[in-house]
Amino acid sequence: MHDLPPHGAADNGSPLDDDFIQLLSESGERMPNAEFDPWVRDIGAAGLAALYDDLVVVRRLDTEATALQRQGELGLWPPMLGQEAAQIGSARALHPDDFVFTSYRENAVAYCRGVGLTDLVKVWRGNAQSGWDPASVGMAVPAIIIGAQTLHATGWALGAQFDGADSVAVTYFGDGATSEGDVNEAMVFAASFQVPVVFFCQNNQWAISEPVGLQARVHIAERAPGFGIPSLRVDGNDVLAVMAATRVALDRARSGGGPTFIEAVTYRMGPHTTADDPTRYRDPADLARWAERDPILRLRRLLDAEGLFTPEFEAATAAHADAAAAELRAGCIGLADPEPLSVFDNVYTTPQATLDRQRAGYAAYLASFESSDTRSSNEGASV
Amino acid sequence: MTILDRSPMSPTPMSPTPLRHPNAAGPVGLTDTTTLTLAKAINAGLRQAMLDDPKVVLLGEDIGALGGVFRVTSDLLREFGPHRVIDTPLAESAIIGTAVGLAYRGYRPVCEIQFDGFIFPGFDQIVSQVAKLHYRTQGAVRMPITIRVPFGGGIGAAEHHSESPEAYFTHTSGLRVIAVSDPQNAYSLLRQAIASDDPVLYFEPKRRYHVKGEVEPTLGSPMERAVIVSPGSQVTLITYGALVSTARDAALAAADEGVSIEVIDLRSLSPVDYATVEASVRKTGRLVVTHEAAQSGGVGGEIVASITERCFDYLEAAPVRVTGFDIPYPPAKLERHHLPDLDRILAGVDRVLGR
């Protein structure tokens, strides 16, 4: 089918390719880095514990949502298993007045922004096409069209620049999205206007079944400088390195230095969504290698080495995660079905005669099932 | 095609120092009825909207120093500065997509798509994002974006410069679609479009850009309202955009032969003002719809179907469509065979009258 040599995960961003910023080794050792250490110097024992708690809670939420899908309570779920550090490390670097534009897998980012747990699953249960009011949490509703949100972030950042605000737009997308025209156009616009935007690419090695080598013959981070945008390639399973890199990018944006591109090299340990079957395209050995790089495991090793991973701490974290999962489950199952006629709501901001006619017709049609005289149901209105 | 003359302005869209207006008092909107070309009327509408609301910003290709390839945005960069009139890199999806982000931040962007046939790279952002975000967010996010599009043929242009893509957008729920026809409604409807909290596709009849007319600085009737531009009793003739003028000429010519045509300028293609159309058809019993766009799947077909549903018993004859053919837009030397003109419209009128 292709003339190109076969692509595999070993081509790019493979476990053997560690040409990236790393502050925490796979075995949990702090790796000194003169350039990036200062950006996480404030993360002491309490900070590390908080990050660990985040990682464990969001993995538990993700697992619970997957279970809810398997039990028929959700129509679909896009697991983030393996990408927790990339999302937590970056999202915990943000200010409340920054604004986030994501794809659909950034549920840990949403958690950090303060999105309600039940709101995370409204879309996937089919109750609504978005779960929250963007203004209330500083996070747009996720874009399902791949890469579309990068332009929205760029436009928002243009507005922030006009307003003289020191707020930053951060947009999340995957390795597959970098092939989309919108992502490339967003980089052209962001560079041209020097707007405060951070392009945060989670290279999780897969776009459904397509390996990253099919999207790019170079590291994805290498593309950005061609647009005039400085880039950072970071170990996406190293929560400290991700936080440091994101803070560097945010600081540059806030101080008028324009956009930055971050490639967080990580791995999607689960399926693309619960409808996917990775056994058809993924080498189990590859998965096993990445399991050794697990983002939670390595932070746990660091905490352990520093004497912070006490039984009490472990129990408290587990209890927090279990409580969050229980809240998610109860909230999900308790979601009321939307009212049938709400299907017509919010198409426009003001009444629209043609649509009102369709609503009235359908309301009469529905009412006919509750009435003894069904003949009057459809009179004079199109259904 | 327009002549692209050189502007004295230097093309520095993001120049840190806003360029000064020679009039120290700054830009001034229309205060009295003035005779303007349709292009100048749009320019006046943009200026007034920018004066009224500091969140109104313009984005597009060549809209700054040049004033747009049709000069519709002339002088606005000089008057309002580069943060209000933004020359963008050449990417239509990004023009629309960044407008979405600006709207998220409370701005009211007005995008210029340089030509009808150039809108398709921006189609996904319009259809998947602009049109749906209010619905997707259960009303939490509004997209008060106006997308200006010069449309239609008759100017002897190269391919992709003469198209009528309006039906792609009337088929998309969540968008309002406007087509203007004269300087007055160009001014009034533009101001309403920009003030609307819904996204609006605003189609400009490019071959009428240089036609003059009196413009009052008023908003006129609501933009979703169709207008009877020439009353009549025997045939209802519905059109929009550049063909409104042709339809009026057809009504005059028909009057000479003793046929009374009521011409309706639809103005809003989505939603359609069926109340006005229906009242007219109930009176005349005969319906002709004309537009430049291809017939199949066009605005005319939807109107004919809806009117047939709503007032079948009042129709004296099958409705007639006089439209462009179901062909790609033809070369300039053939476009007169494709575009409905006065004679083809009159032939359609004859058909609906059974003559």
Side-chain angles (χ1 to χ4, degrees):
Chain A
M1 201 163 86
H2 296 286
D3 292 324
L4 293 169
H7 304 273
D11 280 2
N12 287 298
S14 77
L16 303 173
D17 176 6
D18 56 358
D19 177 19
F20 47 39
I21 303 156
Q22 205 175 34
L23 300 182
L24 194 55
S25 75
E26 287 170 42
S27 53
E29 289 155 347
R30 273 293 268 114
M31 301 167 74
N33 184 312
E35 188 182 353
F36 289 94
D37 280 345
W39 293 93
V40 288
R41 193 154 283 151
D42 61 310
I43 306 296
L48 289 174
L51 288 171
Y52 184 83
D53 184 76
D54 279 344
L55 294 171
V56 169
V57 169
V58 298
R59 178 168 292 185
R60 183 74 180 81
L61 288 170
D62 194 57
T63 308
E64 193 69 16
T66 298
L68 284 164
Q69 193 281 332
R70 297 302 185 218
Q71 292 157 4
E73 298 293 346
L74 296 180
L76 191 74
W77 179 254
M80 66 174 137
L81 185 67
Q83 299 176 225
E84 296 87 352
Q87 295 190 23
I88 295 292
S90 54
R92 285 300 184 206
L94 304 178
H95 290 182
D97 62 348
D98 294 334
F99 210 93
V100 181
F101 293 85
T102 71
S103 180
Y104 42 78
R105 204 184 301 282
E106 282 69 57
N107 289 299
V109 176
Y111 170 79
C112 293
R113 297 304 283 171
V115 170
L117 300 184
T118 306
D119 294 342
L120 290 176
V121 293
K122 274 184 187 164
V123 168
W124 308 103
R125 195 170 165 85
N127 286 59
Q129 287 173 339
S130 68
W132 57 85
D133 176 357
S136 68
V137 289
M139 177 167 170
V141 295
I144 291 179
I145 300 290
I146 300 297
Q149 74 278 10
T150 57
L151 286 170
H152 308 164
T154 301
W156 191 96
L158 189 60
Q161 184 188 63
F162 293 162
D163 296 340
D166 70 348
S167 309
V168 180
V170 182
T171 180
Y172 288 79
F173 50 96
D175 42 298
T178 62
S179 298
E180 290 281 359
D182 277 1
V183 175
N184 291 272
E185 291 186 18
M187 288 199 275
V188 169
F189 273 50
S192 180
F193 297 134
Q194 286 295 291
V195 295
V197 61
V198 176
F199 293 96
F200 192 94
C201 175
Q202 291 175 83
N203 173 4
N204 71 9
Q205 315 297 325
W206 296 102
I208 307 188
S209 70
E210 296 188 352
V212 64
L214 186 63
Q215 314 293 339
R217 303 298 295 186
V218 297
H219 289 157
I220 286 170
E222 290 173 41
R223 288 176 165 174
F227 292 94
I229 297 176
S231 67
L232 297 167
R233 191 163 193 264
V234 62
D235 181 347
N237 286 8
D238 172 349
V239 72
L240 287 179
V242 171
M243 179 174 277
T246 309
R247 285 175 166 181
V248 167
L250 291 168
D251 183 68
R252 179 183 290 140
R254 275 188 232 292
S255 54
T260 302
F261 187 102
I262 296 172
E263 177 189 358
V265 182
T266 180
Y267 196 82
R268 194 194 74 209
M269 302 286 286
H272 164 67
T273 68
T274 46
D276 183 30
D277 176 9
T279 64
R280 294 176 71 94
Y281 55 82
R282 188 166 64 191
D283 181 354
D286 201 27
L287 188 63
R289 280 196 298 276
W290 277 92
E292 278 304 302
R293 308 190 130 199
D294 185 90
I296 298 183
L297 184 61
R298 76 172 77 175
L299 185 57
R300 175 180 169 155
R301 286 170 173 160
L302 175 68
L303 289 166
D304 212 13
E306 300 201 354
L308 299 169
F309 199 76
T310 62
E312 294 77 24
F313 174 68
E314 184 177 18
T317 303
H320 183 195
D322 285 344
E327 182 187 336
L328 176 73
R329 170 170 291 273
C332 171
I333 293 169
L335 278 172
D337 284 351
E339 290 299 317
L341 290 178
S342 72
V343 76
F344 295 101
D345 292 345
N346 296 309
V347 181
Y348 298 92
T349 60
T350 52
Q352 206 258 38
T354 310
L355 197 55
D356 287 348
R357 182 182 167 95
Q358 291 180 12
R359 181 201 298 262
Y362 191 59
Y365 172 76
L366 290 179
S368 72
F369 294 98
E370 294 159 10
S371 139
S372 57
D373 180 9
T374 56
R375 285 172 303 162
S376 64
S377 65
N378 196 15
E379 196 176 309
S382 54
V383 173
Chain B
M1 289 287 281
T2 50
I3 310 297
L4 306 186
D5 63 6
R6 278 278 160 215
S7 159
M9 299 282 305
S10 78
T12 49
M14 296 306 288
S15 154
T17 331
L19 300 152
R20 280 261 189 74
H21 190 261
N23 177 357
V28 178
L30 281 188
T31 50
D32 297 309
T33 301
T34 313
T35 300
L36 296 173
T37 64
L38 194 150
K40 290 283 184 202
I42 297 169
N43 180 267
L46 289 169
R47 180 177 291 101
Q48 191 62 52
M50 295 176 82
L51 286 167
D52 290 348
D53 183 349
K55 292 296 186 187
V56 173
V57 294
L58 315 186
L59 299 105
E61 298 161 3
D62 304 300
I63 66 168
L66 182 63
V69 297
F70 292 106
R71 307 296 181 267
V72 169
T73 56
S74 276
D75 302 326
L76 297 175
L77 171 65
R78 186 161 48 82
E79 295 173 18
F80 292 95
H83 288 180
R84 304 287 303 279
V85 181
I86 305 156
D87 261 337
T88 67
L90 270 64
E92 287 76 11
S93 187
I95 292 170
I96 307 297
T98 50
V100 169
L102 283 161
Y104 252 113
R105 211 185 147 80
Y107 281 83
R108 202 169 273 277
V110 182
C111 303
E112 176 174 309
I113 298 296
Q114 197 160 67
F115 281 89
D116 35 57
F118 302 173
I119 200 167
F120 301 108
F123 193 70
D124 172 61
Q125 284 286 344
I126 296 172
V127 170
S128 302
Q129 309 297 333
V130 173
K132 294 188 172 79
L133 268 160
H134 188 253
Y135 189 78
R136 180 181 302 150
T137 59
Q138 295 116 71
V141 174
R142 295 185 168 198
M143 285 287 128
I145 298 172
T146 301
I147 301 170
R148 295 181 34 242
V149 190
F151 86 127
I155 62 164
E159 200 181 1
H160 312 297
H161 290 67
S162 302
E163 299 183 7
S164 294
E166 60 271 20
Y168 294 110
F169 302 101
T170 60
H171 194 66
T172 301
S173 303
L175 300 175
R176 291 180 179 270
V177 182
I178 298 291
V180 299
S181 61
D182 62 42
Q184 179 65 66
N185 66 32
Y187 175 87
S188 299
L189 298 188
L190 180 66
R191 289 191 53 200
Q192 292 190 46
I194 295 172
S196 171
D197 281 342
D198 294 323
V200 180
L201 269 286
Y202 176 94
F203 284 98
E204 304 172 2
K206 70 168 87 75
R207 77 174 129 121
R208 306 281 301 165
Y209 268 144
H210 305 297
V211 172
K212 290 181 178 172
E214 287 201 340
V215 179
E216 275 180 56
T218 58
L219 296 179
S221 52
M223 65 175 172
E224 60 267 31
R225 201 69 56 74
V227 170
I228 296 168
V229 292
S230 173
S233 59
Q234 288 172 277
V235 175
T236 299
L237 174 59
I238 293 173
T239 191
Y240 53 88
L243 285 180
V244 171
S245 165
T246 316
R248 295 176 86 149
D249 291 344
L252 287 174
D256 289 344
E257 296 178 23
V259 174
S260 173
I261 297 178
E262 179 149 290
V263 178
I264 295 179
D265 180 357
L266 210 52
R267 307 195 326 162
S268 175
L269 315 186
S270 180
V272 169
D273 176 7
Y274 281 113
T276 297
V277 175
E278 198 177 330
S280 178
V281 173
R282 282 173 191 254
K283 179 176 70 180
T284 63
R286 291 181 170 84
L287 173 63
V288 176
V289 187
T290 184
H291 53 61
E292 293 185 20
Q295 184 166 93
S296 296
V299 170
E302 183 55 39
I303 291 173
V304 166
S306 293
I307 288 301
T308 305
E309 280 179 347
R310 290 171 191 236
C311 45
F312 180 77
D313 292 341
Y314 291 83
L315 290 172
E316 303 285 346
V320 168
R321 288 174 289 172
V322 181
T323 68
F325 302 117
D326 290 351
I327 57 172
Y329 200 86
K333 296 284 189 197
L334 288 171
E335 69 179 334
R336 69 187 177 84
H337 297 289
H338 174 64
L339 294 173
D341 60 11
L342 185 135
D343 289 334
R344 273 178 64 194
I345 291 172
L346 288 174
V349 168
D350 282 347
R351 195 143 43 101
V352 84
L353 286 167
R355 307 202 301 185

